[in-house]
Amino acid sequence: MTDTLSRRELARLAVAGLVATAARAAPPVRPGRVGVARLAPSPGHAPIGAAAAERAVAAALAAATGSADGRAAVAALFRPGDTVGIKVNCLGGPRLSPRPELVAALAALLAESGIPAHRIVVFERSSRELARAGFALRRDGGPFLCIGIDNDYDREPSTSGEIGSCFARLVSTTCTALVSFGVVKDHDLAGVSAGLKNLYGVIHNPNKYHDHNCDPYLADLANHPFVRGKLRLTLLDGVVAQCHGGPAYRPDETWPLGAVVAATDPVAADAWAWRVIDGERTRRGLPTLAEAKRPPRFLATAQRYGLGVGDPAAIVEVRA
Amino acid sequence: MTAAFTRREFGIAAGASCAAALFRRPADGAPPAIGAPIAADEPPAREASWYRKLPEGRVECQLCPRGCQVADAERGGCGARENRGGTYTTLVYGAACALHIDPIEKKPFFHVLPGAQALSYATAGCNVECKFCQNWEISQFRPEQVRSAWWPPEALTAAARQRGLPLLAATYSEPTVFWEYVRDAAAAGRGSGVRSVAVSNGFIQEAPLKDVLPLLAAVKVDLKAFSERFYREVVRGELKPVLKTLEVIRASGVWLEIVVLLIPGLNDSEAEVRALVRWVRTNLGTDVPLHFTRFHPTYRLTNLPPTPLATMERSWRIAKDEGLAFPYLGNVPGHAGESTFCPACGYRLIHRIGFEVVENTMAGGRCSRCGRTIPGVWS
């Protein structure tokens, strides 16, 4: 017996190693695919219950990824060594922010996949916004951490296309993986505020980047290595959605969409949101977002950057 | 652990020290103390002065030419104004994030009380985003991201008076975004012998400019280039409204000085400098001081070198050749271009090195040798 390898054996091993490395390095992305689970709103804005939230999140994840269940989906997207930042969008206050029970359901799945509680970090721009939206702030203990960025940004700006921003250190330094957990709502300037617009909350100066319907700025942000290299998943709380008057909560402009949405393609999630918002606007006799001069044009730019599918007509909705 | 300060921390520490030195905290239960820190999660909110309400709870800001239309819960491009339920609010009124005593030459004003010290203040925020901003750590952040202290207008005036300072200077970031604060501080100072000056990018609408101009002793405007392209790509603003501002200030009689930061390869060509100088000569006259200052790499333009001295001197010569009476150079310590010369007889009237006035031979606003009137605010 010899310890040396033949050329063919060496080549096989090398190929196997490359395949294994690629499989571990690149979590699966399903371009253009959006998973949608049903979850009806509770009467009187009552909490929806942990069990229902867990079922909906798991179902949406499975539909988005083609996995057998939510646990398998999360295991494919994240690794036990990850530190996962879950950016929630709480600008709309308690009635138009991701429900804490949905966020907790995702955190529970992450924990089941082996990620310890202290490396699951739910965050928003400020502690105040989190508390106002019903999240319990937590710097240690509990099933996950929940903290505001407050003023913890990088000391130097970092550039991507037209944007130059200091990133939250959570995003640039601490987290190895990100989840954008937004809502489904109209936005006065961007057109749609769903998964990508939520990410404006990770930079210090989003107010500088709202011209021209946030294009190309939102795409530039999503294309920054801190985001592009880490964003694994978009989840949207579409239990109640808002088709007009955003980003602030306007109860008369909401409707019970009854959906929890998941996508590994962040652009597709927003394109889907555009489609359903325009659908509701049309039903109400409102002009479409394009007619209202605020089409989410950043989606086409994001598609050009290769970040995902930005054409609403090309989105494949997979119902759980 | 490091003992070094960031520029922002240093500014805050300096401001806090200044506050502590000047004022004592009132007894418990009193209103917020002068100089007290402002809670980051709740900056002071006060209805803005220049805006109009739009349908559906939206507002249109009428302060700067951006004319931001802002939905409820959103902010304008400056980050310092927020729509709160259909009422546009300023989040920086009385919220000083920097407070220093500076020589007036640092602004720079070379024709305003030479050698005087100015109590200089700023708040967070700016309505443009210059990629070369020297003060980006306050100008490009929102109020809640920068530690600020409560310094209402009357307190600024009182502090200046207490220290024997003749001037208040709204500077460092962009006074336009705290224009109500500038207005009220200037008005408070007027009654007590403290004059106000503003150091601005000039990107402001005409109405608010004219509202506050009569309260100011002088304005320095940064004319950042002489091309719309530069303004669009490097500043995220517009040139045309700035030129209009210069004309309005000049026509008002309020003392005006202009600064042009020369950035290698971006705005320092001979043709652009000459066009700028000619515009100044034609539209503002030959007596407006025009300062060319030297660029140092910072913020988002760390890839460019400092401006070569040859470029600075060429621009200075162009201004002189085109007939401007008071061209200056800045950030070139010890250069003759820092000093004031009589345009009639060439006599050196004010010898400066850096921000230091070494010698001042002016005689009551006139050349001490030939008697030529030298325009400015001299007393």
Side-chain angles (χ1 to χ4, degrees):
Chain A
M1 182 179 168
T2 171
D3 285 339
T4 58
L5 294 172
S6 70
R7 186 179 289 182
R8 190 180 304 170
E9 285 168 332
L10 183 61
R12 273 190 200 144
L13 278 174
V15 169
L18 279 173
V19 169
T21 304
R24 288 192 63 77
V29 177
R30 298 277 191 146
R33 177 167 167 153
V34 174
V36 180
R38 301 298 306 166
L39 183 60
S42 309
H45 302 286
I48 52 179
E54 286 164 12
R55 279 196 301 275
V57 168
L61 285 170
T65 58
S67 302
D69 54 27
R71 188 184 298 187
V74 166
L77 291 169
F78 303 94
R79 295 184 198 95
D82 274 328
T83 298
V84 182
I86 304 172
K87 167 67 177 69
V88 290
N89 180 356
C90 297
L91 185 141
R95 299 282 165 82
L96 196 59
S97 297
R99 284 166 174 69
E101 51 269 48
L102 291 176
V103 177
L106 173 64
L109 285 170
L110 290 167
E112 281 183 41
S113 73
I115 300 173
H118 71 275
R119 287 201 268 109
I120 303 170
V121 187
V122 175
F123 70 98
E124 170 56 307
R125 294 184 305 183
S126 72
S127 301
R128 188 160 167 263
E129 286 175 300
L130 280 167
R132 187 165 157 256
F135 288 89
L137 298 174
R138 199 160 40 227
R139 285 207 165 267
D140 56 31
F144 54 88
L145 307 185
C146 186
I147 58 178
I149 296 168
D150 296 321
N151 206 17
D152 193 8
Y153 294 94
D154 288 337
R155 293 204 167 168
E156 291 294 329
S158 176
T159 299
S160 170
E162 291 296 314
I163 70 155
S165 301
C166 297
F167 280 71
R169 287 203 309 151
L170 260 175
V171 171
S172 64
T173 306
T174 308
C175 293
T176 59
L178 292 173
V179 177
S180 178
F181 206 138
V183 292
V184 179
K185 67 178 178 181
D186 166 73
H187 190 283
D188 185 53
L189 298 171
V192 163
S193 174
L196 291 177
K197 182 70 173 62
N198 177 34
L199 296 172
Y200 263 2
V202 309
I203 56 174
H204 84 285
N205 57 350
N207 47 293
K208 296 297 180 195
Y209 304 126
H210 280 78
D211 293 344
H212 200 247
N213 305 119
C214 301
D215 180 52
Y217 312 110
L218 272 173
D220 285 339
L221 174 59
N223 202 29
H224 190 286
F226 291 157
V227 177
R228 186 169 190 160
K230 298 183 181 184
L231 185 62
R232 309 266 176 88
L233 179 64
T234 297
L235 273 164
L236 303 177
D237 179 345
V239 176
V240 172
Q242 183 168 315
C243 67
H244 188 67
Y249 175 57
R250 288 267 298 272
D252 51 329
E253 306 294 358
T254 62
W255 87 102
L257 176 59
V260 173
V261 183
T264 53
D265 173 344
V267 189
D270 280 33
W272 181 90
W274 181 6
R275 193 163 80 186
V276 299
I277 286 171
D278 257 355
E280 181 64 12
R281 291 177 65 88
T282 303
R283 197 180 69 75
R284 293 182 178 212
L286 291 167
T288 64
L289 292 174
E291 289 164 350
K293 295 188 170 50
R294 49 195 160 98
R297 54 179 98 236
F298 60 87
L299 293 177
T301 305
Q303 180 168 316
R304 275 202 307 279
Y305 290 174
L307 296 170
V309 178
D311 177 4
I315 301 305
V316 176
E317 178 183 304
V318 180
R319 289 187 173 265
Chain B
M1 181 178 168
T2 172
F5 284 114
T6 64
R7 182 187 288 189
R8 195 181 322 162
E9 287 167 341
F10 182 79
I12 288 158
S17 304
C18 187
L22 291 165
F23 288 92
R24 290 182 178 172
R25 292 179 73 88
D28 287 348
I34 304 302
I38 290 170
D41 61 350
E42 191 51 71
R46 177 188 175 103
E47 184 169 8
S49 292
W50 296 278
Y51 79 101
R52 71 184 179 108
K53 298 192 181 221
L54 299 174
E56 300 186 313
R58 298 163 74 241
V59 300
E60 179 183 296
C61 185
Q62 296 177 313
L63 184 53
C64 97
R66 290 179 62 85
C68 294
Q69 294 196 353
V70 185
D72 185 21
E74 285 282 79
R75 294 198 187 172
C78 62
R81 286 161 193 265
E82 184 172 284
N83 181 348
R84 294 189 169 182
T87 298
Y88 207 36
T89 57
T90 164
L91 305 177
V92 291
Y93 187 91
C97 68
L99 191 62
H100 302 269
I101 296 171
D102 289 334
I104 194 67
E105 284 76 15
K106 189 177 175 183
K107 305 302 147 194
F109 282 108
F110 279 7
H111 288 229
V112 176
L113 305 182
Q117 302 282 306
L119 184 61
S120 307
Y121 66 104
T123 75
C126 184
N127 55 349
V128 296
E129 192 203 1
C130 301
K131 290 181 178 173
F132 48 87
C133 183
Q134 298 284 334
N135 290 319
W136 67 275
E137 288 164 301
I138 57 173
S139 70
Q140 299 305 315
F141 279 78
R142 288 175 288 164
E144 67 272 27
Q145 297 166 328
V146 176
R147 279 182 285 178
S148 302
W150 175 240
W151 281 88
E154 304 75 22
L156 289 178
T157 306
R161 207 174 48 244
Q162 214 167 5
R163 288 290 183 95
L165 305 174
L167 294 165
L168 275 182
T171 180
Y172 304 132
S173 54
E174 175 46 50
T176 300
V177 308
F178 54 96
W179 207 229
E180 294 90 347
Y181 190 21
V182 173
R183 175 195 63 199
D184 294 354
R190 259 197 157 187
S192 55
V194 178
R195 287 184 278 188
S196 272
V197 300
V199 174
S200 172
N201 59 28
F203 196 50
I204 185 170
Q205 290 196 25
E206 198 169 335
L209 175 64
K210 285 182 169 174
D211 284 349
V212 177
L213 261 184
L215 297 167
L216 301 177
V219 181
K220 189 218 84 179
V221 172
D222 289 307
L223 179 55
K224 295 172 189 287
F226 203 62
S227 79
E228 288 288 0
R229 183 177 175 181
F230 181 97
Y231 265 86
R232 191 172 56 248
E233 295 179 356
V234 185
V235 174
R236 292 169 59 78
E238 299 167 60
L239 169 63
K240 197 174 170 187
V242 177
L243 298 180
K244 181 66 183 171
T245 292
L246 292 170
E247 291 174 327
V248 170
I249 296 170
R250 187 65 171 154
S252 75
V254 172
W255 183 247
L256 170 68
E257 300 194 23
I258 300 171
V259 166
V260 179
L261 181 75
L262 293 172
I263 304 174
L266 295 184
N267 67 352
D268 65 339
S269 73
E270 183 172 347
E272 183 168 342
V273 169
R274 194 173 294 280
L276 183 153
V277 165
R278 286 179 176 171
W279 185 91
V280 169
R281 185 187 64 198
T282 304
N283 295 279
L284 307 176
T286 57
D287 275 355
V288 175
L290 180 63
H291 305 248
F292 294 105
T293 57
R294 192 178 191 202
F295 164 81
H296 290 281
T298 187
Y299 192 37
R300 296 176 64 188
L301 282 188
T302 50
N303 54 320
L304 297 179
T307 319
L309 183 58
T311 306
M312 302 290 295
E313 291 179 327
R314 184 187 67 199
S315 302
W316 191 45
R317 276 197 304 275
I318 289 171
K320 288 199 278 194
D321 291 349
E322 293 291 340
L324 294 196
F326 303 105
Y328 293 105
L329 294 183
N331 295 339
V332 193
H335 195 281
E338 293 184 313
S339 293
T340 301
F341 294 87
C342 175
C345 70
Y347 186 60
R348 189 172 69 191
L349 299 170
I350 304 173
H351 180 201
R352 298 182 188 86
I353 297 178
F355 305 138
E356 188 77 21
V357 174
V358 179
E359 185 183 26
N360 182 353
T361 62
M362 291 271 296
R366 290 178 178 277
C367 171
S368 51
R369 191 161 79 178
C370 74
R372 200 263 199 197
T373 298
I374 309 296
V377 180
W378 306 115
S379 60

